[in-house]
Amino acid sequence: MEYRYIGRSGLRVTPICLGTMTFGSTTTKEEAFKIMDKAYDRGINFFDTAELYPVPPKADTTGITEEIVGEWLKTKPRDSVILATKVAGAASGWFVPPIRHGLTAIDSFHIKRAVEQSLKKLQTDYIDLYQMHWPDTVVPVEESMKAFDELVREGKVRYVGTSNDSAYGLTKANEVSKYNNLARFESIQNNFSLLNPRFHDELANVCRRENISLLPYSPMAGGVLSGKYNGGFYPEDSRFGIYMKNKSKRVQAMADRFVNDKTLEATRRYMKLADEYGVSPVTLAVAYSMHFDFIASTIIGARVLSQLDDSFAAFDFKIDNELMKKIEEIQKDILYPMG
């Protein structure tokens, strides 16, 4: 198994990380245990969750995923697992999280409140990588970084990272940390896939120059790159089939962003390309999200056990220069299909 370091940290992780956001909603606890066991047995040592999970977030289900992961974690040697979780982002952001009565902020109070709850649910005394789920547009970043630093000094958290952040946000936070001798963000967890290569625009440059690692999520673009939406309908049990029935306009907008004419046409071309190389489109998509030097580990997800095999096949499939040129031609023809 190949290992990569996250940023300048001592976290040595596998190139694939298992995401858990469906555990407790569309994935039962029993199936989640099977999925985590299979990933662990395959050699994967990196697992990612969040206090807000499972998705879609609901007040009566938040925290269930961490509880499931914590229960499973007790069956393994703790030091054999690199565990990541997240504090819910600010209610001043892109949506109001149904946690702590919708009053969340990335301030000292909420960061410390959240980490104590996560440690309890995960049944552990430390978190390897603690991440800000999305930025706070109101609370000064100095307060946020000081609070994260205190968790590191207390030994409750080993390293910190950000998520759904911008080049400015990541750089600003780490400059504040640098000049105040605080723990910095070693990672950024953003959406990145064949259908959403925007990270290349500027954030990749920041990561390379500052030795910060991207932990890309949604390498399958929410399952779209598997081709299951290319049949002219939304499968009943699919994520976006379910999202389209959700009354939330934000959730419906997310479905439209992932499943539209441009994403489906690009997916059709990627499916053809995968067939040309004799691999599953899932394998192609995951291999792409593992390919670049600024990436430490790509976060895959699975609702059921059988979905893991094509993702794991990406360990043995490498993208050469010829294939990358073909991918870039598609990305040039259909520019930013997810907007």
Side-chain angles (χ1 to χ4, degrees), residues 243-259:
Y243 278 21
M244 285 306 297
K245 297 176 183 178
N246 193 298
K247 294 180 180 179
S248 167
K249 290 184 178 179
R250 185 192 69 83
V251 174
Q252 291 178 10
M254 187 181 297
D256 289 338
R257 181 189 179 210
F258 279 81
V259 187

Side-chain angles (χ1 to χ4, degrees), residues 87-336:
V87 52
S92 61
W94 49 281
F95 95 114
V96 177
I99 196 166
R100 290 186 288 283
H101 299 281
L103 299 173
T104 57
I106 305 297
D107 61 6
S108 181
F109 172 83
H110 284 279
I111 290 171
K112 293 180 179 181
R113 184 87 165 177
V115 81
E116 293 298 340
Q117 289 299 311
S118 288
L119 288 168
K120 182 178 180 181
K121 291 178 186 298
L122 291 166
Q123 299 187 56
T124 184
D125 59 352
Y126 71 96
I127 293 162
D128 295 285
L129 180 65
Y130 196 51
Q131 303 155 104
M132 175 174 70
H133 212 150
W134 63 89
D136 193 318
T137 60
V138 176
V139 174
V141 70
E142 289 84 356
E143 178 178 347
S144 305
M145 300 311 292
K146 183 178 179 181
F148 284 126
D149 180 74
E150 288 173 359
L151 297 182
V152 174
R153 293 177 187 273
E154 292 168 2
K156 294 175 181 177
V157 167
R158 292 178 64 190
Y159 299 97
V160 291
T162 187
S163 184
N164 298 299
D165 215 336
S166 64
Y168 171 80
L170 176 59
T171 303
K172 173 71 173 179
N174 278 4
E175 286 300 294
V176 164
S177 294
K178 177 181 177 180
Y179 288 107
N180 290 279
N181 195 30
L182 305 172
R184 72 167 200 158
F185 287 145
E186 298 292 345
S187 62
I188 179 170
Q189 187 178 142
N190 276 28
N191 188 298
F192 177 74
S193 70
L194 286 166
L195 295 181
N196 186 21
R198 279 194 176 275
F199 201 88
H200 285 297
D201 291 352
E202 188 54 38
L203 271 163
N205 186 41
V206 175
C207 286
R208 286 188 174 110
R209 289 179 176 271
E210 300 297 327
N211 196 7
I212 300 163
S213 293
L214 169 63
L215 306 175
Y217 70 82
S218 202
M220 289 300 303
V224 175
L225 284 163
S226 69
K228 64 184 175 184
Y229 297 98
N230 280 67
F233 64 95
Y234 287 15
E236 283 288 327
D237 63 343
S238 66
R239 182 191 307 182
F240 298 119
I242 294 170
Y243 278 21
M244 285 306 297
K245 297 176 183 178
N246 193 298
K247 294 180 180 179
S248 167
K249 290 184 178 179
R250 185 192 69 83
V251 174
Q252 291 178 10
M254 187 181 297
D256 289 338
R257 181 189 179 210
F258 279 81
V259 187
N260 57 62
D261 291 343
K262 291 174 71 175
T263 62
L264 294 178
E265 173 56 21
T267 296
R268 184 190 67 78
R269 297 194 193 185
Y270 289 127
M271 290 171 66
K272 183 178 178 181
L273 191 57
D275 185 61
E276 179 184 334
Y277 280 79
V279 297
S280 159
V282 173
T283 303
L284 175 64
V286 174
Y288 175 83
S289 69
M290 295 165 58
H291 177 77
F292 302 95
D293 60 355
F294 54 83
I295 291 170
S297 187
T298 190
I299 303 169
I300 65 166
R303 287 190 303 108
V304 294
L305 190 67
S306 60
Q307 293 176 334
L308 289 176
D309 291 334
D310 285 341
S311 291
F312 289 169
F315 280 125
D316 302 314
F317 180 73
K318 305 302 179 186
I319 295 178
D320 59 23
N321 291 336
E322 180 185 18
L323 176 53
M324 183 57 71
K325 287 180 181 178
K326 293 178 180 179
I327 289 171
E328 290 172 347
E329 286 174 6
I330 296 172
Q331 291 177 337
K332 183 179 180 180
D333 287 346
I334 308 175
L335 192 63
Y336 302 134

